[in-house]
């Protein structure tokens, strides 16, 4: 018979005691989550609830699928009410911010890998495409960033005019575009390439240089400048 409370478990199997004795690095994903949830529900302790939560997605992706869940979806799971859903959402947000703070130390806008690392956790878990523009001054320092769209079907719905107007309003001399592919594959589509080239050419005419367009996938990325798309692709071809 399974234990329905943490207290009924052997002491060395309890998540709190196990963490205290062996350190958090030796706990499973479910044990870590159980400590944060603190309590379970009727007939189910916090560890059992955590295990069920981690395997409640049909894709069986464990921790990663939680990033995709909304508070409303979490509250539909038995045992996850308002308080626990907020705890889980805050945990996900905190993990993103910790990853971003760590990546910020090495952020260099001339190095695509550091830009991708900085935005990776914020963008790779999103269910729809998000397009960002990074605005830089004459010293290639960021003076601002803006989401140009959220929830669009593809990059083609963003116009070069919208991007460049934002740059001119902020007195930016150069920009970097970033957008994600929810599929996890960062390979640029034809539409991605066409609009990138259009922004590049239009920007040259008004003195705003497009330095790069980075496409974020699932823990991977592609720099369109490094791939030669900014120099070689003819949008009419």
């Amino acid at each position: 018979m399974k234990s329905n409370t943490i207290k009924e478990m052997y002491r060395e199997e309890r998540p709190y005691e196990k963490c205290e004795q062996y350190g958090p690095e030796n706990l499973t994903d479910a044990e870590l989550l159980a400590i944060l949830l603190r309590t379970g529900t009727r007939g189910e302790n916090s560890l059992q609830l955590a295990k069920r939560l981690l395997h409640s997605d049909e894709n069986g992706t464990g921790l990663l699928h939680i990033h995709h869940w909304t508070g409303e979806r979490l509250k539909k799971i038995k045992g996850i009410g308002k308080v626990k859903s907020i705890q889980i959402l805050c945990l996900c947000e905190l993990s993103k911010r910790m990853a971003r703070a760590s990546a910020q130390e090495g952020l260099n806008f001339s190095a695509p890998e550091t830009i991708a690392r900085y935005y990776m956790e914020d963008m790779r878990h999103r269910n729809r495409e998000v397009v960002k523009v990074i605005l830089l001054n004459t010293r290639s320092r960021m003076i601002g960033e803006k989401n140009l769209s959220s929830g669009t079907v593809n990059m083609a719905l963003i116009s070069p005019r919208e991007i460049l107007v934002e740059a001119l309003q902020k007195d930016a001399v150069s920009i970097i575009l970033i957008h994600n592919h929810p599929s996890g594959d960062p390979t640029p589509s034809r539409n991605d390439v066409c609009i990138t080239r259009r922004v590049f050419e239009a920007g040259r005419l008004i003195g705003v240089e497009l330095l790069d367009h980075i496409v974020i996938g699932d823990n991977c990325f592609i720099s369109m400048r490094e791939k030669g798309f900014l120099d070689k692709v003819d949008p009419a071809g």
Side-chain angles (χ1 to χ4, degrees):
M1 180 178 178
K2 292 184 178 180
S3 301
N4 286 329
T5 67
I6 291 293
K7 291 182 178 179
E8 292 175 2
M9 299 173 65
Y10 291 112
R11 182 177 177 83
E12 60 272 18
E13 295 178 352
R14 300 174 192 170
Y16 279 97
E17 285 77 359
K18 188 175 177 181
C19 181
E20 184 178 25
Q21 184 172 358
Y22 301 109
E25 67 275 10
N26 290 298
L27 270 62
T28 65
D29 293 344
E31 289 169 337
L32 288 169
L33 185 56
I35 289 176
L36 295 171
L37 292 174
R38 298 182 61 189
T39 60
T41 186
R42 180 176 296 181
E44 185 179 51
N45 63 41
S46 59
L47 182 57
Q48 292 165 342
L49 174 59
K51 288 179 179 178
R52 181 163 58 82
L53 178 62
L54 290 175
H55 295 89
S56 59
D57 189 81
E58 60 183 10
N59 296 320
T61 50
L63 282 176
L64 286 180
H65 76 275
I66 297 179
H67 281 281
H68 299 282
W69 288 16
T70 63
E72 291 304 312
R73 183 176 179 184
L74 284 166
K75 284 187 287 187
K76 291 180 181 179
I77 299 174
K78 181 182 177 182
I80 304 295
K82 179 180 179 180
V83 173
K84 284 185 171 60
S85 67
I86 290 175
Q87 289 174 327
I88 293 169
L89 292 175
C90 287
L91 170 64
C92 293
E93 181 60 28
L94 185 60
S95 70
K96 291 179 185 178
R97 295 188 187 189
M98 290 173 67
R100 189 163 178 169
S102 177
Q104 188 173 19
E105 295 180 3
L107 183 59
N108 179 350
F109 290 107
S110 64
E113 64 275 10
T114 71
I115 302 171
R117 186 165 62 246
Y118 183 70
Y119 287 98
M120 184 64 68
E121 288 307 305
D122 179 43
M123 300 187 72
R124 75 185 182 107
H125 300 294
R126 299 191 182 236
N127 295 321
R128 304 296 295 271
E129 286 194 7
V130 175
V131 182
K132 289 180 180 285
V133 59
I134 302 172
L135 309 166
L136 305 174
N137 63 15
T138 54
R139 296 185 177 183
S140 293
R141 292 180 179 175
M142 184 167 67
I143 55 177
E145 66 173 68
K146 184 176 180 179
N147 283 3
L148 296 173
S149 71
S150 180
T152 56
V153 177
N154 58 55
M155 177 71 182
L157 298 181
I158 301 298
S159 71
R161 182 180 182 277
E162 182 180 358
I163 295 168
L164 295 171
V165 164
E166 185 66 28
L168 291 173
Q169 287 177 341
K170 298 297 192 300
D171 294 323
V173 299
S174 57
I175 59 174
I176 296 172
L177 290 175
I178 302 177
H179 86 281
N180 64 308
H181 279 179
S183 67
D185 180 0
T187 303
S189 68
R190 179 178 175 81
N191 284 331
D192 294 341
V193 173
C194 286
I195 196 166
T196 299
R197 187 66 184 180
R198 288 168 59 199
V199 173
F200 178 75
E201 295 291 352
R204 287 200 304 183
L205 294 176
I206 62 173
V208 177
E209 182 182 5
L210 175 62
L211 298 180
D212 205 346
H213 183 175
I214 295 172
V215 186
I216 300 288
D218 186 9
N219 218 24
C220 54
F221 75 96
I222 281 179
S223 160
M224 295 180 71
R225 177 172 288 281
E226 287 187 340
K227 293 294 184 180
F229 288 120
L230 289 181
D231 302 318
K232 299 178 181 179
V233 175
D234 180 355

